[in-house]
Amino acid sequence: MTTLTNAIVLVTGANGGLGAEFVQQALDRGAAKVYATARTPRTWDDERVVPLALDVTSQESVDAAARAAADTTIVVNNAGIGGAAPLLETSVEDVERVFATNVFGALRVAKSFAPLLGGGALVDVHSVLSWIAFGGGYSASKAAFWSLTNSLRLELAPQGTQVVGAHLGYTDTGMTADLDVEKADPADIVRAIWDAVEAGEHEVLADQISRDVRAGLSAPLEALYPALASA
């Protein structure tokens, strides 16, 4: 298990609703320092927060961040972009753009920071859409990211790095602002994730919809996709 007490945390995508919660709750749990990263970092009122420029789609930027934040003990791979239009109505280039951030960007961060995380933790923020294909290229990217996390968990275990995959449904952030659906409070989601990290868990289902969909993965496809039953 990994404690946040005196930890040095780096959060990607720290400007957003979930990212800001990861920063603040890490501090509330005793983190000594939090690197709050974004392409254009915002300012923070707490001297324990260190704004740091990071573009996860650029290897040069990721390498520079790893050098600047070489004391990091916990990384939160939170940066991501949307892209939920149907695949047949979306250009391959647009899908590639989603994968560039949500998959390959996260992998860049994991690979660059892995040597620093012995005895620490890597937290990968997935989605319930990792398991159910209602989100076009976004769902596909999160499914790929989930698979990467499962591999990274095995590869990083020998050095004592805890790898936590976090799944969540619609959450009240800027990414979902235009969706008229029930949304979870980001504070509740992040609290569940940090609880799982400190409890030594490998995976966290941060809300009920994630738990329900995960439990249904062994059912026939028609149970997940009722439209198939009448096709």
Side-chain angles (χ1 to χ4, degrees):
M1 76 179 56
T2 306
T3 180
L4 281 157
T5 302
N6 295 322
I8 310 296
V9 180
L10 182 138
V11 178
T12 70
N15 286 0
L18 274 181
E21 278 294 334
F22 275 116
V23 172
Q24 187 56 57
Q25 291 193 31
L27 295 173
D28 293 343
R29 291 174 183 245
K33 183 197 301 183
V34 179
Y35 293 103
T37 80
R39 288 183 178 180
T40 306
R42 51 167 277 195
T43 58
W44 298 78
D45 294 332
D46 194 313
E47 63 182 9
R48 295 172 294 173
V49 180
V50 179
L52 184 63
L54 173 58
D55 177 357
V56 301
T57 67
S58 163
Q59 188 64 55
E60 181 180 2
S61 178
V62 174
D63 288 343
R67 291 191 297 269
D71 53 349
T72 297
T73 60
I74 300 174
V75 167
V76 181
N77 243 335
N78 170 69
I81 60 173
L87 290 173
L88 295 180
E89 300 174 11
T90 306
S91 70
V92 172
E93 290 76 17
D94 281 347
V95 176
E96 288 176 335
R97 181 178 60 85
V98 174
F99 269 67
T101 296
N102 296 357
V103 182
F104 301 118
L107 180 59
R108 279 192 188 89
V109 171
K111 287 172 63 68
S112 293
F113 280 87
L116 310 177
L117 300 181
L122 171 67
V123 181
D124 285 344
V125 179
H126 300 139
S127 168
V128 67
L129 295 178
S130 305
W131 299 321
I132 191 163
F134 290 156
Y138 180 82
S139 287
S141 73
K142 288 297 187 177
F145 187 20
W146 176 45
S147 182
L148 285 178
T149 297
N150 290 335
S151 295
L152 289 169
R153 183 179 295 114
L154 298 176
E155 293 181 24
L156 290 173
Q159 71 174 40
T161 301
Q162 178 188 1
V163 177
V164 182
H167 296 268
L168 55 140
Y170 292 119
T171 305
D172 193 9
T173 67
M175 188 179 291
T176 64
D178 295 333
L179 299 178
D180 185 18
V181 295
E182 185 176 349
K183 302 171 189 177
D185 186 333
D188 294 336
I189 296 296
V190 171
R191 186 178 304 111
I193 294 170
W194 280 138
D195 284 347
V197 171
E198 296 202 299
E201 297 176 11
H202 301 300
E203 184 174 73
V204 54
L205 311 181
D207 52 19
Q208 190 59 48
I209 189 172
S210 297
R211 292 187 284 272
D212 291 344
V213 172
R214 183 73 156 89
L217 289 181
S218 61
L221 277 178
E222 291 82 0
L224 285 176
Y225 306 105
L228 293 177
S230 57

